[in-house]
């Protein structure tokens, strides 16, 4: 299909009909599709950004049991929100969601507004999320482009340029607008995303099972495996970090990160990045001294965990140390609060991914003090 086809309403109508029928028969039974409740759609949309669908469903069901509606989110302490989000990453999504719920409740709303401008005024809701909520929850005719739809359109129109080029983005946006089924926007948009996720997959798309194959230009000219045109991949940046797991009796020291930094308000073991020519142990000692004022005696290497983020690969070296019962209170320079927690209680706090791996390693290492 190319953009000249917008002059062919009969062909577009047929494509829409095929998408509609395919979605009706093949859609996954995702929990928020039972009612399309706007609150549930909103949660699913925010969770779904950068996260695999099977994980979204797990987290969504747990979230709904804990926070059944907007008022429950608004009333919850931020720590409960972050704990429920723990493991999903990109914690600004959770903080924005919390702030958005509080703003809506404070302004007298009891639900998610069906209005683009009011949605865009909320934290964490940009043009894509607003369009997704409006079309999925309220069946309003807003075109949508997510990664699955972009890939599908690049094949449908056999676009020979990388997706991120501005000319390509304009073409994709025009296609989304032209092909939108204004009578059934909810089904149409979800059908495109679902088809991209299940059939027109990044590798080995199942073209024989594709309901819109007769309209697919890449299939016609045999370029499917070359579409979308790949962009040069960015290499991940390696970051080395070190931290100390400090024990006093059977309690472990943790501290809460400052609100405005990358994992704001999450908890962690004290530590930070290695400086030039520093060994992991030297970095752990220095960071702990800078962040708490404690000068440590013996340190024992405990474990090293590696965690991958979109652009970074973080290697975190962890060391164990004992503090005497007479150790003074820490002088916090990089944290807002601290706590001494038993192994059992550590699980109550929200941690970023690397430190959560350390908590699991501690539980395995010290079964006798759980
Ligand atoms: Fe994707 Fe194949 Fe369908 Fe074309 S025919 S849209 S490449 S699954």
């Amino acid at each position: 299909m190319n953009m000249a086809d917008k002059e062919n309403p009969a062909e577009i109508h047929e494509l829409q009909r095929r998408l509609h029928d395919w979605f009706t028969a093949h859609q996954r039974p995702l929990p928020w599709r039972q009612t399309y409740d706007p609150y549930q759609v909103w949660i699913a949309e925010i969770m779904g950004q950068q996260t695999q669908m099977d994980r979204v469903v797990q987290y969504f069901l747990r979230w709904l049991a804990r926070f059944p509606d907007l008022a429950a989110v608004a009333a919850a302490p931020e720590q409960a929100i972050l704990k429920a989000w723990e493991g999903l990453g990109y914690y600004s999504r959770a903080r924005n969601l919390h702030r958005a719920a509080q703003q809506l409740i404070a302004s007298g709303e009891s639900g998610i507004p069906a209005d683009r401008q009011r949605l865009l005024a909320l934290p964490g809701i940009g043009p894509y999320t607003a369009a997704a909520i409006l079309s999925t929850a309220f069946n309003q005719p807003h075109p949508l482009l997510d990664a699955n739809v972009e890939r599908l359109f690049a094949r449908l129109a056999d676009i020979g340029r990388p997706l991120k080029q501005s000319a390509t983005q304009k073409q994709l946006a025009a296609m989304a607008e032209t092909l939108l089924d204004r009578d059934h926007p909810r089904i149409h948009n979800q059908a495109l995303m679902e088809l991209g996720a299940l059939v027109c997959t990044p590798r080995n798309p199942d073209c024989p099972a594709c309901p819109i194959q007769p309209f697919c230009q890449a299939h016609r000219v045999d370029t499917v495996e070359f579409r979308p045109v790949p962009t040069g991949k960015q290499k991940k940046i390696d970051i080395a970090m070190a931290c100390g797991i400090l024990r006093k009796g059977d309690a472990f020291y943790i501290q809460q990160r400052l609100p405005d930094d990358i994992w704001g308000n999450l908890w962690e073991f004290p530590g930070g990045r290695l400086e030039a020519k520093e060994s992991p142990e030297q970095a752990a000692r220095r960071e702990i001294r800078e962040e708490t004022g404690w000068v440590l005696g013996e340190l024992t290497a405990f474990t090293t965990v590696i965690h991958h983020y979109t652009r970074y690969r973080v290697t975190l070296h962890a060391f164990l140390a004992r503090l005497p019962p007479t150790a003074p209170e820490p002088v916090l320079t990089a944290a807002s609060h601290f706590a001494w927690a038993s192994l059992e209680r550590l699980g109550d706090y929200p941690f970023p991914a690397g430190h959560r791996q350390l908590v699991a390693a501690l539980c395995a290492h010290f079964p006798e003090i759980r």
Side-chain angles (χ1 to χ4, degrees):
M1 172 163 286
N2 58 49
M3 290 318 294
D5 292 329
K6 69 184 173 190
E7 305 302 334
N8 188 340
E11 192 166 313
I12 290 175
H13 184 73
E14 177 60 13
L15 180 141
Q16 292 169 343
R17 189 192 65 73
R18 283 167 175 254
L19 278 171
H20 191 294
D21 291 353
W22 177 84
F23 183 72
T24 305
H26 296 282
Q27 64 176 302
R28 289 168 290 185
L30 301 176
W32 51 91
R33 285 180 178 160
Q34 289 174 15
T35 61
Y36 290 114
D37 171 74
Y39 165 73
Q40 296 188 19
V41 169
W42 174 51
I43 299 298
E45 273 304 326
I46 303 293
M47 283 185 171
Q49 294 163 10
Q50 320 262 2
T51 307
Q52 297 285 333
M53 188 56 83
D54 49 349
R55 274 170 77 71
V56 172
V57 170
Q58 267 176 33
Y59 274 83
F60 175 87
L61 293 172
R62 279 212 305 265
W63 181 278
L64 220 60
R66 175 78 177 77
F67 309 112
D69 54 27
L70 194 65
V73 177
E78 189 188 71
Q79 288 296 290
I81 298 288
L82 292 174
K83 186 66 194 168
W85 203 267
E86 189 187 39
L88 274 177
Y90 299 95
Y91 290 88
S92 58
R93 292 182 297 171
R95 279 189 287 273
N96 283 333
L97 200 146
H98 191 213
R99 293 213 322 268
Q102 290 177 329
Q103 279 184 24
L104 286 168
I105 294 294
S107 60
E109 308 260 9
S110 58
I112 307 299
D115 177 83
R116 187 170 186 274
Q117 288 315 319
R118 280 159 67 206
L119 283 174
L120 287 174
L122 294 170
I125 298 193
Y128 169 81
T129 309
I133 292 171
L134 291 170
S135 75
T136 309
F138 299 106
N139 205 22
Q140 290 185 12
H142 293 269
L144 263 195
L145 279 173
D146 73 349
N148 286 324
V149 181
E150 287 188 350
R151 180 176 60 254
L152 188 148
F153 280 1
R155 290 170 175 161
L156 197 58
D158 191 33
I159 297 175
R161 296 181 306 268
L163 291 176
K164 293 300 164 211
Q165 279 189 8
S166 63
T168 313
Q169 285 296 311
K170 271 191 199 144
Q171 183 174 354
L172 295 171
M175 284 181 76
E177 184 78 41
T178 304
L179 299 180
L180 179 64
D181 181 346
R182 287 168 195 280
D183 294 329
H184 310 97
R186 169 186 289 156
I187 289 183
H188 175 84
N189 281 339
Q190 289 191 92
L192 285 172
M193 293 189 283
E194 196 84 333
L195 191 63
L198 301 182
V199 176
C200 195
T201 45
R203 289 197 193 86
N204 304 320
D206 189 2
C207 299
C210 178
I212 57 173
Q213 189 212 84
F215 305 99
C216 180
Q217 186 68 7
H219 187 264
R220 195 174 299 149
V221 299
D222 202 17
T223 55
V224 171
E225 65 180 299
F226 307 110
R227 302 288 180 259
V229 172
T231 18
K233 277 217 160 165
Q234 275 192 326
K235 226 180 143 232
K236 283 202 176 182
I237 299 166
D238 275 307
I239 295 181
M241 304 187 79
C243 70
I245 300 173
L246 310 178
R247 183 175 168 188
K248 195 156 70 170
D250 283 348
F252 293 87
Y253 174 81
I254 52 175
Q255 58 185 28
Q256 189 176 27
R257 295 178 69 99
L258 296 170
D260 297 331
D261 77 9
I262 172 170
W263 293 302
N265 290 343
L266 269 70
W267 292 75
E268 65 177 9
F269 302 102
R273 286 170 84 144
L274 271 63
E275 292 186 349
K277 299 191 179 155
E278 223 177 18
S279 71
E281 182 177 334
Q282 288 168 332
R285 285 183 187 283
R286 176 185 52 73
E287 287 283 344
I288 290 165
R289 190 179 65 246
E290 289 172 1
E291 293 185 359
T292 64
W294 289 324
V295 178
L296 299 177
E298 191 183 342
L299 278 186
T300 309
F302 174 55
T303 189
T304 297
V305 298
I306 296 177
H307 195 77
H308 292 263
Y309 298 93
T310 312
R311 293 188 48 224
Y312 303 102
R313 179 174 52 209
V314 175
T315 304
L316 175 61
H317 305 274
F319 295 85
L320 284 172
R322 275 192 178 273
L323 254 61
T326 54
E329 297 281 271
V331 180
L332 299 182
T333 61
S336 56
H337 298 89
F338 72 91
W340 289 97
S342 66
L343 265 190
E344 210 156 20
R345 289 288 322 282
L346 281 178
D348 297 341
Y349 293 85
F351 288 91
H355 290 254
R356 199 154 33 85
Q357 287 186 55
L358 294 181
V359 173
L362 278 175
C363 292
H365 191 77
F366 293 113
E368 75 281 4
I369 59 169
R370 287 202 71 193

